[in-house]
């Protein structure tokens, strides 16, 4: 079964750090881009970052650039999000998702087709 | 960043109703748009990609249309399991951006 499972969330003080992990199973992890999406309590979805199959290309949301680092270990089928200098506004459920390229009518489209269950990050003193 | 604006923010409907949710992009995004469904406490689920292509396993009562900057998600005959929040997502440019969501309530 294709699955993603996040871990590493918790309560952290402002300016603190946290490292999230996402364990993949049931598919060839190294064949896919991967992404992080977050959702603040009672709010909508917000894309955070994604990383190319081999880790050589990375994109970030402007508000996390310089504070968050996305990485992956294909040998361990794992995705990571290192979060530093955390702020109250980073409080959210963090989801990892498989970032797949779907081919349709001559074009490729990025889709988030498999999601983990999410891990809660609370930034508070 | 490309802004995605959904309307309405919420709607009340009954089982069997036809429901339309619209999503407008702040600039043209070709048909690089997906629709996702999220139920409370659960991860989102992909419904539609490329504006109108149905994801495998998704019921055919869901359909998508549009290109450029205006898009629509239609639920042909609302079922009890369809009460949820729906989001559009553009994959035309970085940063990827979601609409603010449309809550479909009974």
């Amino acid at each position: 079964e294709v699955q993603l499972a996040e871990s590493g969330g918790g309560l952290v003080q402002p300016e603190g750090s946290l490292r999230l992990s996402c364990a993949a199973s049931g598919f060839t992890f190294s064949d896919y881009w991967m992404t992080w999406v977050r959702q603040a309590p009672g709010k909508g979805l917000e894309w955070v970052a994604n990383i190319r199959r081999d880790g050589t290309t990375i994109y970030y949301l402007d508000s996390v650039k310089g504070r968050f680092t996305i990485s992956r270990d294909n040998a361990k089928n794992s995705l990571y999000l290192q979060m530093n200098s955390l702020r109250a506004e980073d409080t959210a459920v963090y989801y990892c998702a498989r970032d797949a390229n779907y081919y349709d009518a001559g074009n490729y489209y990025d889709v988030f087709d498999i999601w983990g269950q999410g891990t809660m990050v609370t930034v508070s003193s | 960043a490309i802004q995605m604006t959904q309307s309405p923010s919420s709607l009340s409907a009954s089982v069997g109703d036809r429901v339309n949710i619209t999503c407008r992009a702040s600039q043209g995004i070709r048909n690089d748009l997906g629709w996702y469904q999220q139920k409370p406490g659960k991860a989102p689920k992909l419904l539609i990609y490329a504006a109108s292509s149905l994801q495998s396993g998704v019921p055919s009562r869901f359909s998508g249309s549009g290109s450029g900057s205006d898009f629509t998600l239609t639920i042909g005959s609302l079922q009890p399991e369809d009460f949820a929040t729906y989001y559009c997502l553009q994959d035309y440019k970085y940063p990827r951006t979601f609409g603010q969501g449309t809550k479909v309530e009974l």
Side-chain angles (χ1 to χ4, degrees):
Chain A
E1 185 186 358
V2 176
Q3 276 188 328
L4 295 170
E6 303 92 339
S7 60
L11 174 63
V12 60
Q13 293 190 337
E15 294 303 314
S17 297
L18 211 54
R19 189 195 196 206
L20 306 183
S21 299
C22 170
S25 59
F27 65 98
T28 304
F29 181 71
S30 57
D31 283 350
Y32 293 88
W33 286 66
M34 294 295 296
T35 204
W36 287 98
V37 172
R38 67 184 179 183
Q39 186 169 36
K43 302 296 185 184
L45 300 169
E46 182 176 52
W47 174 85
V48 173
N50 71 350
I51 184 168
R52 186 188 162 100
R53 291 174 289 273
D54 57 5
T56 57
T57 301
I58 287 171
Y59 295 96
Y60 291 104
L61 182 67
D62 277 353
S63 62
V64 308
K65 257 183 219 175
R67 300 189 300 122
F68 289 11
T69 302
I70 189 173
S71 62
R72 64 191 296 160
D73 185 336
N74 287 342
K76 295 183 178 179
N77 293 332
S78 292
L79 174 72
Y80 306 102
L81 187 66
Q82 176 67 45
M83 304 185 295
N84 298 330
S85 302
L86 281 160
R87 306 167 180 167
E89 54 265 34
D90 297 317
T91 294
V93 174
Y94 284 74
Y95 296 99
C96 64
R98 191 172 78 173
D99 192 338
N101 283 141
Y102 280 21
Y103 182 77
D104 185 87
N107 291 301
Y108 285 94
Y109 300 89
D110 285 346
V111 300
F112 304 156
D113 65 345
I114 305 295
W115 295 68
Q117 82 287 352
T119 187
M120 183 71 205
V121 172
T122 303
V123 184
S124 174
S125 55
Chain B
I2 297 174
Q3 289 191 5
M4 307 300 293
T5 304
Q6 285 182 235
S7 60
S9 296
S10 64
L11 65 91
S12 295
S14 300
V15 172
D17 283 354
R18 181 181 180 89
V19 169
N20 289 312
I21 298 168
T22 64
C23 181
R24 175 165 287 177
S26 60
Q27 67 176 79
I29 59 170
R30 302 182 307 192
N31 65 333
D32 295 2
L33 183 109
W35 288 98
Y36 294 78
Q37 176 195 65
Q38 187 181 34
K39 296 181 180 178
K42 300 293 187 182
K45 172 188 173 184
L46 174 67
L47 299 176
I48 300 278
Y49 64 95
S52 60
S53 294
L54 195 65
Q55 168 68 337
S56 175
V58 173
S60 59
R61 62 181 179 273
F62 290 94
S63 63
S65 63
S67 68
S69 58
D70 291 307
F71 302 88
T72 300
L73 173 70
T74 298
I75 308 173
S77 176
L78 200 64
Q79 297 302 299
E81 60 269 29
D82 301 336
F83 291 95
T85 301
Y86 294 85
Y87 295 91
C88 60
L89 168 67
Q90 66 82 16
D91 60 287
Y92 178 72
K93 199 179 270 193
Y94 285 101
R96 301 289 189 240
T97 44
F98 288 91
Q100 81 278 15
T102 295
K103 187 173 184 179
V104 177
E105 300 175 291
L106 182 64

